[in-house]
Amino acid sequence: MTDPQRPQNSGHFVSDAREELAGMLKDGMAHPSTKPVLIWGAAGAVAGAFLPFVSIGLGLAAGAGYKFYKRVRPE
């Protein structure tokens, strides 16, 4: 499902990710990508607390990074 408020897909991951991140930083919680990325980051941190050899920080980065990637490239 594509989000109508998401920047246009230019075909270049780096430029699309930069535009999405800039929008998230500018709009804060009003941006449609901010809440899902934070929720997945929190879920990753909780999972990281329970899994051996995975820290809370690594879980947070993995969860937020996964959801951010899926917001930029929903396919």
Side-chain angles (χ1 to χ4, degrees):
M1 180 172 87
T2 58
D3 189 349
Q5 296 179 4
R6 201 164 103 352
Q8 295 298 322
N9 184 2
S10 68
H12 301 287
F13 177 75
V14 174
S15 63
D16 290 344
R18 185 176 46 102
E19 289 177 19
E20 187 76 5
L21 185 59
M24 288 171 65
L25 292 172
K26 185 179 84 172
D27 296 339
M29 293 300 284
H31 195 275
S33 293
T34 303
K35 290 177 188 174
V37 169
L38 290 177
I39 290 170
W40 275 77
V46 170
F50 291 110
L51 294 173
F53 304 109
V54 178
S55 67
I56 293 173
L58 181 61
L60 176 99
Y66 172 77
K67 190 59 178 180
F68 181 75
Y69 175 78
K70 293 307 283 182
R71 290 292 294 183
V72 174
R73 290 286 180 258
E75 298 88 40

